[in-house]
Amino acid sequence: MNRKSTYLCLLPVFLFGSLLHSQDENFFEKEKPVLSYYENLDDKTYFHQRRIHGMKGELNNYSEKLHNLQKRFDQIFYGLSGDHSFKTPFDVTNQPVRPTYSRRLEGNSSSGNSLVNSPRSLSRAPLDPEPFTPPSPNQLAFNVSSPEQPSQEEEVVSSFTPSRSSSGGLGGYLILTPGIAVPFKSHKGDDFLRKYDAGPSLSFAGGVQKDGFRIGLGTLLKKNEFDSNSRYDTNNPLTQESKTFAVYLDLGYDFGLIGDLDGYVGLGLGYYRTSIQDPSKRNQDGFLATGSIGLAYNFSDLIALRLGYRYFHEDEVPAHLAELGLGFEF
């Protein structure tokens, strides 16, 4: 009787354990296999390779953006050229290639059903992603647009458009400089003396520039009256004046000093013509050479105040010129 009672007590435990065992087997059988999202293991490997390849391309792009941003930062705030070499950290020239294989029925060993024809595998299989195309290397890491400047094709346009010589682009220039011409040469004989007082001058030059170098054409006009001691014979003083007009090839170079302050040097070669009243009118012409040096303070990317010295050589009235004018860049 005791043995029978013991069997009756163990029977419910045995039945409950069998039920749990069957539920565990059904649970593992219902777990979705890894290959259910892909047609086969090669596809899974291919899609992961494509994802890693795209991540490498994005890292290369971000690295180049940071390099270009540092380069522009050095140009704007420090006046440095920023022409440092740059290499991407990852090689993305070889893209992953999807393996070719013959499609066949691939069944699950436990269920015997085909994964290719399974509705779940067809609906969950990923599509072939589009090939990764990195953006332009000249694109900034971020763009800033001014309130007056609209966007173009939903892309924010940067309002920074440097046009000064330090930017390295080809541009134009105009320089207008009034000044004072101080002659330093006198012509003296037994019965005549030609000596000139300081007088006004005006020079104008224009042309193209690149990387701080200038080349163009220039003109100069100056006027000097005779000194009170000048005479054309023993008893007759000279009371007229001389006028000089010159055309020359203008060559120059601008370089940065501190902040908005630049320095410049220039050279001019050309032709001059001087009109003299001593007392009759006569003309003199010949070869012209001029050189200049000075400072330029940039109020903006377009306008600069120029203060400098110019040497003007000619036979009749060579002079030292003190100039103060404006320079325009575009």
Side-chain angles (χ1 to χ4, degrees):
M1 191 70 178
N2 292 334
R3 182 179 294 180
K4 186 177 181 179
S5 300
T6 302
Y7 288 154
L8 290 175
C9 292
L10 294 176
L11 181 60
V13 177
F14 178 77
L15 294 176
F16 182 74
S18 299
L19 179 61
L20 291 178
H21 180 70
S22 61
Q23 288 180 353
D24 291 339
E25 290 180 352
N26 294 334
F27 174 78
F28 288 108
E29 287 181 358
K30 291 181 180 179
E31 278 189 339
K32 52 187 178 181
V34 176
L35 293 179
S36 64
Y37 291 103
Y38 305 90
E39 294 183 356
N40 53 33
L41 184 59
D42 291 337
D43 278 349
K44 179 180 178 182
T45 303
Y46 167 70
F47 288 120
H48 280 283
Q49 288 177 349
R50 288 298 300 273
R51 180 174 295 180
I52 294 174
H53 183 270
M55 293 173 63
K56 289 181 178 179
E58 291 179 357
L59 289 175
N60 287 343
N61 181 36
Y62 291 147
S63 178
E64 191 163 2
K65 285 180 180 179
L66 291 177
H67 173 76
N68 293 336
L69 183 62
Q70 180 66 39
K71 179 180 177 181
R72 289 176 178 264
F73 183 87
D74 291 341
Q75 290 177 349
I76 297 171
F77 293 97
Y78 298 106
L80 302 178
S81 63
D83 294 332
H84 303 294
S85 61
F86 170 74
K87 295 181 179 180
T88 55
F90 299 102
D91 183 13
V92 291
T93 55
N94 297 325
Q95 295 190 5
V97 179
R98 186 170 186 173
T100 58
Y101 59 91
S102 60
R103 293 184 175 272
R104 60 183 182 276
L105 297 179
E106 300 177 1
N108 192 323
S109 60
S110 61
S111 62
N113 295 328
S114 172
L115 291 176
V116 178
N117 297 328
S118 172
R120 182 173 59 178
S121 64
L122 292 177
S123 61
R124 302 291 292 274
L127 297 176
D128 190 8
E130 295 294 332
F132 175 77
T133 303
S136 172
N138 294 327
Q139 183 179 357
L140 281 174
F142 59 89
N143 295 327
V144 181
S145 62
S146 59
E148 300 83 3
Q149 193 170 11
S151 299
Q152 298 177 357
E153 298 180 357
E154 299 181 356
E155 181 180 358
V156 181
V157 181
S158 172
S159 60
F160 175 71
T161 54
S163 59
R164 290 178 54 188
S165 59
S166 59
S167 65
L170 182 64
Y173 74 93
L174 293 174
I175 300 175
L176 179 64
T177 49
I180 299 296
V182 182
F184 59 87
K185 182 178 180 180
S186 60
H187 303 271
K188 187 176 182 181
D190 294 336
D191 57 350
F192 72 91
L193 173 64
R194 295 196 307 273
K195 186 177 180 181
Y196 298 91
D197 291 333
S201 67
L202 178 65
S203 64
F204 177 81
V208 296
Q209 63 178 357
K210 181 177 176 60
D211 297 329
F213 292 95
R214 304 193 317 268
I215 181 171
L217 292 177
T219 61
L220 188 144
L221 177 65
K222 66 182 182 69
K223 182 173 67 172
N224 298 96
E225 295 181 353
F226 283 107
D227 183 80
S228 59
N229 295 324
S230 298
R231 61 186 187 278
Y232 64 92
D233 58 29
T234 305
N235 299 320
N236 296 308
L238 288 172
T239 59
Q240 302 297 322
E241 61 186 11
S242 69
K243 296 180 180 179
T244 302
F245 177 76
V247 179
Y248 56 90
L249 176 66
D250 182 57
L251 304 173
Y253 177 68
D254 291 5
F255 51 92
L257 293 177
I258 301 175
D260 294 328
L261 185 65
D262 292 347
Y264 70 87
V265 292
L267 176 66
L269 301 173
Y271 171 83
Y272 80 93
R273 184 179 182 87
T274 300
S275 177
I276 310 167
Q277 294 277 356
D278 60 349
S280 60
K281 183 177 180 180
R282 61 185 179 89
N283 295 323
Q284 185 182 78
D285 55 10
F287 174 77
L288 160 71
T290 180
S292 61
I293 186 172
L295 300 174
Y297 181 80
N298 299 280
F299 292 106
S300 67
D301 291 338
L302 301 177
I303 303 176
L305 179 66
R306 301 171 68 91
L307 173 64
Y309 160 79
R310 178 185 297 274
Y311 172 75
F312 188 88
H313 173 76
E314 62 163 300
D315 290 338
E316 181 66 23
V317 196
H320 302 288
L321 279 68
E323 297 180 323
L324 177 63
L326 294 175
F328 303 91
E329 299 182 5
F330 52 90

